[in-house]
Amino acid sequence: MTDDIHRLTADVRLRPATLGDAASFAEALTRSRAHMRRWEPVRPEEFYTPEGQARRLSGLLADRDAGRAMPWVLADEEDRVVGAMTLASIERGPFRNARLGYWVDVGRAGRGLATAAVGRVCEVARDGLGLHRVEAGTVVDNTASQRVLAKCGFEQIGTAPRYLHIDGRWADHRLFQRILHDGPPQR
């Protein structure tokens, strides 16, 4: 189930990320750079190149193969990257938890794609990965992302002062969680 392709809208699907997505990631991230700046760490210029994205994706795919992450892309009808979803820091045992990160291309923002994709990723986290809980954090003034999380059943569980270094400063974050089920941990 974790490797399935999921149709989100008539022209966008959620599918596993591949190393072959590097150039498309670089284009989408460059296109959305100014829009996402307020919510992202300051990145070196290399991050926005196909080579920089290939290195980043290689690390994510190694983490996927080790069971520590699950990276997906939102792909348009021509298979271009228009966003991404990642479950990272996947923990097994009694915690059964992962951290969720996501973004949507500036040209596709505000159309419900993040909500549809977060909902689907939570289903996969529960049914495919057997996780109990997914957590996410947003910069305190990222109300659009907070609305996505609320629509997808996340509840705010606190505020973390100076949580991450975002846009050149230590930024306060709102922390959220979604409990996926209350059954015992699966193998």
Side-chain angles (χ1 to χ4, degrees):
M1 177 177 275
T2 58
D3 290 329
D4 291 346
I5 295 173
H6 310 281
R7 178 118 350 242
L8 300 176
T9 66
D11 62 345
V12 177
R13 57 194 164 71
L14 181 72
R15 64 162 175 77
T18 69
L19 194 54
D21 293 318
S24 189
F25 259 110
E27 291 171 11
L29 289 164
T30 298
R31 200 171 39 247
S32 299
R33 186 175 186 176
H35 171 73
M36 296 191 314
R37 180 180 174 174
R38 297 183 341 195
W39 305 297
E40 287 286 310
V42 174
R43 310 275 192 189
E45 288 303 315
E46 179 195 32
F47 180 83
Y48 298 95
T49 68
E51 298 78 19
Q53 286 303 303
R55 276 189 283 289
R56 186 184 70 81
L57 283 167
S58 290
L60 274 172
L61 296 174
D63 283 348
R64 181 202 61 203
D65 294 345
R68 294 185 301 261
M70 210 45 232
W72 290 276
V73 299
L74 280 69
D76 70 9
E77 60 279 355
E78 295 174 18
D79 206 34
R80 292 177 301 214
V81 173
V82 295
M85 298 276 148
T86 303
L87 287 175
S89 303
I90 295 174
E91 295 184 52
R92 305 296 180 175
F95 196 24
R96 310 299 288 188
N97 182 73
R99 292 187 182 123
L100 174 67
Y102 57 92
W103 62 272
V104 173
D105 188 284
V106 63
R108 303 280 181 138
R111 298 181 188 182
L113 285 175
T115 300
V118 167
R120 186 63 188 132
V121 165
C122 286
E123 290 173 10
V124 172
R126 181 191 63 222
D127 300 336
L129 300 173
L131 298 181
H132 165 69
R133 177 182 179 273
V134 174
E135 63 183 71
T138 72
V139 174
V140 294
D141 65 346
N142 190 345
T143 56
S145 191
Q146 292 161 20
R147 280 193 304 271
V148 166
L149 294 170
K151 287 178 192 175
C152 292
F154 283 74
E155 62 180 323
Q156 185 175 334
I157 57 172
T159 302
R162 298 176 303 283
Y163 186 64
L164 293 173
H165 200 259
I166 300 294
D167 194 21
R169 65 180 176 79
W170 289 103
D172 297 348
H173 278 62
R174 292 201 172 122
L175 304 179
F176 297 84
Q177 72 174 6
R178 178 173 168 186
I179 303 299
L180 302 173
H181 69 84
D182 283 324
Q186 300 171 4
R187 287 184 172 235

